[in-house]
Amino acid sequence: MPIQKVDKIWMDGRLVDWDDANVHVLTHSLHYGCGVFEGIRAYEAAGGPAVFRLTDHIERLFDSAKVYLIDIPYTVAQVVDAVKETIRANGLSSCYIRPIAFLGYGEMGLNPLPCPVSVAVAVWPWGSYLGEEGLRRGVRLKISSWQRHDPNAVPVAAKGTGMYANSSMAKVEALKAGYDEAVLLSPQGYVSECTGENLFVVKKGRILTPPTSAGALEGITQDAVSTIATDLGFEVAEANLLRTDLYLAEEAFLTGTAAEVVPIRSVDDRVIGDPGPVTRQVQEVFFATVRGEVDRYKDWLEYV
Ligand code: PMP
């Protein structure tokens, strides 16, 4: 789905025209993948456009930057305001939001520290990442031949731009083989996550999700869904999972800001089936939550 162009992008402290939000070809991050970013969504709620867990996302951006020793020249509050300002400037009632901090050009070479840090925030209208059909009926997954990073090779706790080369290769492999999405295993062979989503399985009535030690990003949707499921009365736990735990799951679903909450139909052609009752319930409460319809979780919404 091509990016839908809007009017303005926030770049280094001011709003610029969409077509002017450009970088130099010698931008350090373009060559060496040393940047950090976020993916956030704003939803149309009764009180106007509301960003889901905006401050949590921006705090994760700053945590990712800390891991990479990227010194963001703004405060969390300033970047939170920049996101709201960009949404307002484009008059959007719902959108996807992409903040990024990257190193510009200054010096060439592997040491990023002398390069200037730039921050940009782009927003655009974006439907569900894995499609409406996937959201309703579920997606077909393939276990990738690519492994998730060893945490001592690339930090998996940080949302660094360069680490997504691994996700992109897994994604292309899965798509070319006729699947919707890939599952990556950790170097130890445990289920880690999908290319841009966390995974959940339902087994004997319990809801299980892989821990960060299996190479999964600490997902904000994963956290929200864990809270929602616990409040619905389910037992939710982090657990190391084997690929057969996916094949034999009673139900399975994935979570992410772009994808939202998506049922899993099959893994490596082992059919899990139509979305089950746990997945449906969690999906329903999640979508009501992001639209501000659930009082209990109203603090997760930050109005524009
Ligand atoms: N894992 C990876 C690798 C991701 O890129 C994302 C998307 N940020 C997620 C999981 C889900 O995280 P969140 O729910 O915070 O969007």
Side-chain angles (χ1 to χ4, degrees):
M1 211 191 311
I3 295 175
Q4 196 180 318
K5 178 175 160 176
V6 296
D7 285 342
K8 298 284 183 192
I9 288 179
W10 189 96
M11 246 186 135
D12 296 327
R14 62 194 185 93
L15 290 165
V16 300
D17 287 342
W18 178 278
D19 290 328
D20 295 334
N22 302 313
V23 295
H24 195 275
V25 75
L26 292 178
T27 295
H28 192 278
S29 296
L30 181 63
H31 294 252
Y32 302 120
C34 201
V36 294
F37 69 104
E38 269 304 317
I40 316 173
R41 271 188 192 274
Y43 290 89
E44 195 167 351
V51 186
F52 187 62
R53 299 188 65 168
L54 173 57
T55 301
D56 291 333
H57 277 282
I58 301 305
E59 282 174 352
R60 189 172 66 182
L61 180 76
F62 277 72
D63 283 348
S64 299
K66 179 176 183 180
V67 171
Y68 280 91
L69 293 170
I70 294 173
D71 197 6
I72 296 179
Y74 303 100
T75 61
V76 168
Q78 283 173 318
V79 180
V80 163
D81 283 346
V83 168
K84 292 181 181 175
E85 187 187 350
T86 313
I87 298 170
R88 279 195 302 266
N90 289 293
L92 297 170
S93 52
S94 66
C95 59
Y96 182 75
I97 303 154
R98 170 54 58 85
I100 183 166
F102 60 96
L103 299 151
Y105 82 97
E107 281 184 25
M108 190 52 81
L110 270 300
N111 177 9
L113 300 180
C115 295
V117 178
S118 273
V119 179
V121 179
V123 301
W124 65 91
W126 204 17
S128 190
Y129 175 57
L130 295 172
E132 281 307 313
E133 165 101 0
L135 208 56
R136 257 185 312 110
R137 298 204 54 225
V139 290
R140 298 173 60 245
L141 306 188
K142 180 188 189 312
I143 305 226
S144 187
S145 70
W146 295 99
Q147 269 177 12
R148 195 38 120 199
H149 305 284
D150 181 297
N152 288 314
V154 176
V156 288
K159 208 168 154 56
T161 57
M163 80 169 209
Y164 282 84
N166 172 258
S167 280
S168 288
M169 293 214 277
K171 183 81 184 179
V172 169
E173 180 186 69
L175 292 178
K176 281 188 178 290
Y179 297 86
D180 303 307
E181 179 58 297
V183 179
L184 291 132
L185 304 182
S186 71
Q188 291 72 34
Y190 294 115
V191 174
S192 179
E193 57 178 348
C194 292
T195 64
E197 303 89 17
N198 293 106
L199 276 164
F200 285 84
V201 300
V202 181
K203 254 186 118 68
K204 297 198 173 94
R206 294 172 76 213
I207 304 178
L208 305 172
T209 189
T212 49
S213 57
L217 184 76
E218 221 169 280
I220 290 169
T221 321
Q222 178 190 38
D223 177 73
V225 159
S226 297
T227 303
I228 288 170
T230 304
D231 292 344
L232 283 169
F234 296 107
E235 186 185 339
V236 183
E238 287 193 349
N240 272 323
L241 302 174
L242 300 171
R243 63 198 290 160
T244 42
D245 291 321
L246 292 179
Y247 293 170
L248 301 176
E250 290 150 28
E251 295 183 38
F253 54 91
L254 49 83
T255 64
T257 297
E260 303 173 304
V261 179
V262 179
I264 297 170
R265 271 198 90 67
S266 67
V267 180
D268 289 343
D269 303 311
R270 275 72 167 184
V271 175
I272 297 171
D274 286 328
V278 178
T279 307
R280 288 225 173 282
Q281 240 182 307
V282 168
Q283 241 187 345
E284 203 177 301
V285 177
F286 174 79
F287 283 110
T289 296
V290 296
R291 293 189 188 108
E293 293 159 14
V294 184
D295 250 14
R296 182 174 205 163
Y297 309 124
K298 64 179 179 356
D299 290 349
W300 282 343
L301 298 188
E302 294 175 59
Y303 287 86
V304 167

